[in-house]
Structure formats: structure tokens, C-alpha cells
Amino acid sequence: MAVIHEVARTRRAATEHRKGDGRAAALFLAPWFVGLVLITAFPLLASLYLSFTDYSLLRAPGWVGIENYTAMFSDPRFFQALKVTFTYVIVSVPLQLVAALGLALVLDKGLKGLAFYRSIYYLPSLLGASVAIAILWRQVFGADGLINQVLAFFGIEGQGWVSHPDYALGTLIVLNVWTFGAPMVIFLAGLRQVPTMYYEAAAIDGAGRLRQFRNITVPLLTPIIFFNLVLQLIGAFQTFTQAYIVSGGTGGPVDSTLFYTLYLYEKGFGSFEMGYASAMAWFLLLIIAGMTAVNFVASKYWVFYDD
Amino acid sequence: MTDAPVRRAAPSDSPAAPSSGAAGRGTPSLSEVAAAYPDPPARRRPAGPRLRRLGKHVALVVFGFVMLYPLLWMLASSFKPTALIFREPGLIPTEWDFSNYTEGWNALLDPFGHYLLNSAIVVLGSVLGNLVSCSMAAYAFARLKFRGRNLWFAVMLMSIMLPIHVIIVPQYILFSSLSWINTFLPLIVPKLLATDAFFIFLMVQFFRGIPKELDEAARLDGCGHGRIFLRIMLPLSLPALATTAIFTFIWTWNDFFSQLIFLTKPDMYTVPIALRTFVDATSNSSWGPLFAMSIVSLIPVFLVFLFGQKYLVKGIATTGIK
């Protein structure tokens, strides 16, 4: 009898506990949930709906089926935007990560003044996304800009890098590589997690530095490399500010810096073709989701998880 | 989708290796344990012979100098007459001109201070919003048991990766139907609703590192979740709150895309939008004032960087790995 009583009591206590938590959770999560529904989920679905309509803010959206998508796939500027963005992502992200990892490796070797160097290299990551730095870039790579002044000092005649269709995108790639500090800090923290004893054991077994690097550092660092890769890829696909400022909002010269987001902005908020812009937005989502999924599948073959 | 780094990230183990500094001073205090981010362990190996070490330092300093050169040059150039900006790659102005600052300050419709104030309002609202809403959500995910917790947690993580561009058009329609365009509400209200889910994740990570025994003890003493959250979790989470505040400050201060879309009246312009107008209107003759105002716009971020470095560096490091 006492046992049954005890069981009943604990069960009651357990349900009370759970109920109590549930109510508290609802309260604590309320702001987030409202935001998730109103500011994120609803707009996400609305933009899917809008992508099948013709909408310009002035009239009610009219259903046009897949017309926006077919228009998109026969729009040369859309393909140009894809080309620009992919080129930027494929070139700048690996360069940035190599720079970040390289510097992290150099700094990790028990060097004095680590904090100082880390700050210096990290600073550009904080400022890089600002309009002020984009303005600076426009001058530095301009016809009479800093780069050409330095080149002139060595007797080389430069050109207007930002105003030349072959080089304009390159200046933005340089800008992205310049902000390697953030992934570098993550790499540095990752290197610290590699247990020292692995190196000691390897050294006793006669492994040289190169082999230690290849067989200890790299495998243990692959999760961090993967993390940085996913993060930087997603970020690079969304580049907007620098391209907007450096090209004066046009994506020029001759669409050579017409980033995907810039074209989306132009369509949605320049000419108010919001149906078309929504179709572009969903296509961007598919690209990013697809790329991230591929990344995660591929990671099974090269990312090494210790645990 | 986000499974792998997250599982990796979840600190099922103890909060962090106790920092060597704390250990040296005897028993670390509670907040030190809870707040301990991993400090670098002792140096791994001696760094080569002296000469090589020196060479390395020289290379690192030179490389850092080259990296920061454009910034330093912009600072120097803001004190040069505009004509010199296009001729003088050096850092020390051969001719000083302080009028760039007064001219730039008054170059647009309103004095530049007006835009600084607008930016400050947006930033302050965003910081407060993120601190309150994200810490609340994080407490629920880290400490409360409720149905579907894992599912909602996964939804939250996925929302971190959602590009703003995908939802900006309907957001614009929504806010314009509320007549919120050209107010700061579209920039601040979402933060009050924890849409910057990255910070929820950051704080969940941190909360999980705080010993559960603390809230269990408080619970036995009759504390409700509200009091546990306010009296135990938040005071122990100052480093995470600082990281959140600092990152929100910098990201909001630098944010261009959403401010460009939601603020179209010159009166409501924030610093980035004002600078954009400035650069569009700038011929070669006013680069000096433009540089001066660009420098002004970077000062707040720089100050935050200077004083909040510890939290910045540890913030990105912990979210990356721990």
C-alpha cells in the first residue's frame, strides 16, 4: 500500500514538474516564438507565395505561376549575378581560410605577443563589413588611389582597378581575404584544444614536425576547418555592402560586380518587381541550403570527429 | 543540417578548462569557474633558436603593418587637403588640414551628429532587445524541460543560417503595412523578438556550462524559474552577455542592408546610409571630408574593439568550438 502511494506521489510530482516547466518554457520562449512566426516563418512562406505572383506593392499580387522563374532563367543578368557571386565565393573563401589557418599556425607556436598579433589581424574583420571601409577600398583601388600611388613609386603605371571590368571583382575578393581574422581566431582556439601529449607521444615515436602536422594537427583540426568553411561560404554568398558601395549601387562596371544580393535588391527595391525578387530569394535559399547539405554529406569523408 | 558542428559544440563536459591564472590564486570563485573560457595552456614547444624567432616577429609585424596600412593611411589622409590624398601615399601629412572634419560634419542635410544619434538609438535598442530576448530563450533551451525541445532547438539553429535576403521582401511589406517604414521599429522590434538566434545559441552554450546544482539548490529553497534566471543565471553569465552586447553593437552599427531598405527619409538616416549618400554625391574634390566622416564612423567600433577585445575573441572562439 505504501509502495503504491509512493509511486502515485512521485508520478504526480513528475507530471507537476513537467507541467510547471512547460508553462515556464512558454513564458521564456514567448518573444522568440512570436519573432519566429511573424518575422521569420511567415515572411519565408510569403516570399514563396510572392515568387509565383506579379507584385509591385501598388496592386494586389496576381498569380502568374512559374513565370518569374522562367523569366529568371532567361535573364542574362541573373546568370551574370550567379557567375559573379560564385566566382567570388569560390576564389575568396579558400584564400581567406588558407590565410587564416596559416597565420594561426604561425602564431600558435608559442610565440610571445600572441594577443597583440591576434588583435592586429582581427581588427579588419570587425571593420570590413562597414560602409567606411568600402569607401576606403573605392579610393585605394581607384585610378589615383593608394595602390597606384605606390605602384607609381616603383615606376609601374596602374589603372583604375575598381572601374575596370576585369579587376573590379578582384578588389572585392581582396577585401574579403583581408578579413581573415575571424576564422583565424577560431583556428587558434582549435589549435589550443589539441592535447599536447599527442605531440609528445609522436615525438617519442620519432615523428618529425611535418608528420606531426599531417597526422595530428590536420585531422584534429578538420572539424574547425569544416565549421569555418560552412560559415564563410554562407556569409560570402550574402555579400552586399562592399559591392554596393564600391560600384555605387550599380554592380558595375558592366555588371562585373553584380552580386546576387545586389541584383535582388535592385529588382525588389529599385524597380519594385517583388515577385521576381522573391523568386530570386528562394533560389538563393535553395543554393545555400543545397551547398550546405553537400558540405555536410562530404564532411563524412574528410572531417574527423574525435568523440 | 546543422547537426555536426552543433553536436561538437555542445559542451556535455565541464564548462572549460580552469584558467591557469585562477588556479594560481587558490580556489577559483564560483563566477570564475562558470565564466572560465579556456585560456591558452602553457606553451607547446620552445620556438626555435633566437634568430629564427626574431625573424618571425619581424615578418609578423611587417605583415600586420601592411594589413593595417590602408586604415592608417585613411586616418592620415583625413587630415590632408583633398588634393594630397590623390598624390601622397605616405602616412605623415606634408600639409595639415583640419577643415575636413568641420566640412564633413556639415556636408549633408543634417549635421553628422544627427546620423550618429540615429545610429546610437538603433544600436541601443538592438543591444537591449538581444540581451533580454535571447537570454530568455536561451534559458528555456538550456534549462527547462518541455515537449518538442529538441525540435524547436533545431528550428532555432536553422534560422541562424537563413539569409535575410530571403525574407526581406515580405518583411518590407509587413512593416510598410504597419506604417513602420522610416521609423526605427523595423530595426529594433525584431531584436526584441530574438530573431538574432545566433546569440540564443551563444548563451545556451554558456548556460550549459553553469553547474546545474546551483539552480537545483535554489529550487529547493523555493525559487521559481524567474528568480533562478534573474538571480543565478544572468549574474553568472556576464561574459556571455558582454559578448552578445558587443557583437550586437558592432553588427548593428555596421549594418547597411536593412537600414538601406527601411530608412529612406534623410532625416532618419543612420551613419552607414548617410555615408552612402555622401559618397554618391562626392566628386574628387571632397574626399577629404568623406574620409574624415568615415573615420568618425569607425571610432565607436574601434573603441568597442579596444575595450571589449577579450569578449570578442573569446566569443567567436567559444561558439566555434566549445
Side-chain angles (χ1 to χ4, degrees):
Chain A
M1 195 57 196
V3 174
I4 293 173
H5 183 76
E6 187 63 27
V7 169
R9 203 184 63 81
T10 43
R11 180 167 302 159
R12 202 169 55 233
T15 47
E16 260 168 23
H17 182 185
R18 202 159 55 214
K19 233 204 256 155
D21 260 13
R23 203 179 303 150
L27 279 172
F28 275 96
L29 286 176
W32 170 76
F33 194 74
V34 171
L36 180 75
V37 171
L38 290 184
I39 315 269
T40 309
F42 166 70
L44 188 64
L45 294 176
S47 83
L48 181 61
Y49 166 71
L50 285 175
S51 74
F52 295 108
T53 66
D54 182 11
Y55 186 49
S56 66
L57 268 191
L58 300 172
R59 282 168 292 117
W63 187 264
V64 295
I66 58 165
E67 217 168 85
N68 285 320
Y69 290 94
T70 50
M72 212 164 78
F73 286 114
S74 54
D75 177 359
R77 293 194 80 203
F78 169 75
F79 284 104
Q80 173 66 12
L82 277 180
K83 196 182 117 193
V84 167
T85 310
F86 269 97
T87 311
Y88 174 83
V89 169
I90 290 169
V91 178
S92 77
V93 171
L95 283 178
Q96 189 203 35
L97 291 185
V98 167
L101 182 57
L103 260 289
L105 285 171
V106 172
L107 290 181
D108 185 52
K109 297 270 169 63
L111 214 59
K112 264 196 190 146
L114 166 72
F116 170 75
Y117 293 123
R118 190 175 53 189
S119 308
I120 287 187
Y121 298 143
Y122 180 53
L123 183 61
S125 314
L126 284 184
L127 307 177
S130 67
V131 169
I133 293 299
I135 288 174
L136 172 65
W137 234 246
R138 198 164 144 172
Q139 204 289 339
V140 165
F141 289 97
D144 306 319
L146 178 60
I147 292 285
N148 284 347
Q149 292 171 35
V150 173
L151 286 177
F153 186 76
F154 294 105
I156 305 167
E157 197 182 333
Q159 49 185 314
W161 307 98
V162 290
S163 52
H164 194 294
D166 288 347
Y167 300 111
L169 185 58
T171 65
L172 295 173
I173 289 173
V174 172
L175 177 49
N176 196 36
V177 177
W178 189 60
T179 61
F180 68 81
M184 183 198 74
V185 170
I186 297 177
F187 278 133
L188 270 173
L191 286 169
R192 302 244 162 258
Q193 310 256 313
V194 180
T196 323
M197 59 177 186
Y198 288 1
Y199 292 106
E200 283 158 3
I204 290 170
D205 289 346
R209 275 199 161 188
L210 195 68
R211 276 199 61 190
Q212 288 182 20
F213 175 73
R214 248 198 21 224
N215 296 335
I216 299 172
T217 314
V218 171
L220 288 178
L221 216 53
T222 47
I224 318 284
I225 297 174
F226 175 67
F227 176 83
N228 270 331
L229 182 71
V230 170
L231 225 63
Q232 297 302 329
L233 280 177
I234 294 177
F237 261 102
Q238 301 176 46
T239 304
F240 178 80
T241 310
Q242 298 92 330
Y244 184 99
I245 296 296
V246 169
S247 72
T250 63
V254 281
D255 286 350
S256 61
T257 60
L258 186 69
F259 274 75
Y260 196 94
T261 52
L262 207 59
Y263 192 43
L264 194 157
Y265 172 79
E266 192 184 307
K267 281 290 181 188
F269 299 94
S271 50
F272 287 99
E273 294 170 57
M274 293 193 149
Y276 190 99
S278 297
M280 279 189 74
W282 262 81
F283 193 69
L284 175 70
L285 183 65
L286 290 183
I287 292 176
I288 291 183
M291 185 191 65
T292 310
V294 167
N295 245 321
F296 272 90
V297 171
S299 75
K300 295 208 166 70
Y301 299 96
W302 67 273
V303 176
F304 170 77
Y305 284 106
D306 205 6
D307 33 58
Chain B
M1 190 161 117
T2 57
D3 213 0
V6 170
R7 199 186 309 124
R8 176 93 195 150
S12 46
D13 45 356
S14 65
S19 71
S20 47
R25 273 180 280 121
T27 323
S29 79
L30 198 57
S31 61
E32 267 172 337
V33 173
Y37 285 104
D39 249 22
R43 262 179 252 155
R44 185 163 297 145
R45 352 175 172 138
R50 203 174 239 190
L51 204 65
R52 242 181 68 197
R53 220 161 46 204
L54 187 72
K56 223 183 220 172
H57 279 292
V58 170
L60 285 170
V61 168
V62 168
F63 183 67
F65 183 70
V66 170
M67 264 191 71
L68 294 189
Y69 195 84
L71 277 176
L72 298 170
W73 180 79
M74 176 155 78
L75 179 63
S77 296
S78 70
F79 295 108
K80 293 174 188 172
T82 295
L84 276 189
I85 294 178
F86 292 95
R87 273 192 278 123
E88 200 176 89
L91 285 185
I92 298 158
T94 48
E95 199 183 317
W96 290 80
D97 185 357
F98 294 96
S99 69
N100 286 335
Y101 281 85
T102 49
E103 230 173 88
W105 191 268
N106 297 308
L108 297 173
L109 278 179
D110 290 290
F112 207 76
H114 184 88
Y115 309 118
L116 288 170
L117 185 68
N118 283 349
S119 268
I121 295 170
V122 173
V123 165
L124 199 72
S126 301
V127 169
L128 285 178
N130 271 350
L131 283 179
V132 172
S133 65
C134 293
S135 64
M136 282 173 66
Y139 180 75
F141 283 123
R143 280 298 201 264
L144 300 178
K145 288 195 184 66
F146 55 93
R147 257 205 288 170
R149 182 170 77 170
N150 291 343
L151 175 75
W152 290 117
F153 191 67
V155 169
M156 186 272 288
L157 288 174
M158 285 215 260
S159 74
I160 296 178
M161 301 210 195
L162 186 71
I164 170 96
H165 312 93
V166 178
I167 50 177
I168 192 76
V169 167
Q171 269 191 13
Y172 182 85
I173 297 166
L174 172 72
F175 292 139
S176 90
S177 72
L178 295 168
S179 304
W180 282 8
I181 304 301
N182 282 315
T183 71
F184 298 136
L185 293 172
L187 300 168
I188 295 174
V189 170
K191 315 280 170 166
L192 285 166
L193 300 175
T195 51
D196 273 354
F198 171 77
F199 297 113
I200 302 180
F201 173 59
L202 186 140
M203 285 195 247
V204 167
Q205 298 288 82
F206 197 90
F207 287 172
R208 281 177 177 164
I210 296 175
K212 263 208 174 105
E213 290 76 18
L214 289 176
D215 21 333
E216 269 153 24
R219 194 112 110 240
L220 287 179
D221 287 346
C223 276
H225 286 295
R227 288 217 359 223
I228 295 175
F229 173 65
L230 287 174
R231 297 282 172 81
I232 296 175
M233 297 303 263
L234 287 188
L236 287 178
S237 305
L238 289 182
L241 295 175
T243 305
T244 300
I246 288 170
F247 271 113
T248 307
F249 183 104
I250 293 173
W251 289 350
T252 313
W253 188 268
N254 284 342
D255 174 39
F256 178 65
F257 186 71
S258 46
Q259 299 179 7
L260 179 70
I261 282 170
F262 294 127
L263 307 174
T264 52
K265 238 173 50 195
D267 200 33
M268 299 303 287
Y269 280 176
T270 50
V271 170
I273 313 302
L275 279 177
R276 197 258 339 203
T277 322
F278 201 166
V279 74
D280 281 354
T282 293
S283 57
N284 266 358
S285 61
S286 47
W287 274 89
L290 179 59
F291 268 13
M293 289 309 104
S294 299
I295 290 290
V296 167
S297 81
L298 291 178
I299 289 173
V301 177
F302 186 74
L303 288 179
V304 168
F305 162 76
L306 216 57
F307 296 109
Q309 255 199 72
K310 191 171 109 196
Y311 299 114
L312 279 170
V313 167
K314 287 176 175 171
I316 41 177
T318 30
T319 43
I321 308 165
K322 282 299 300 174

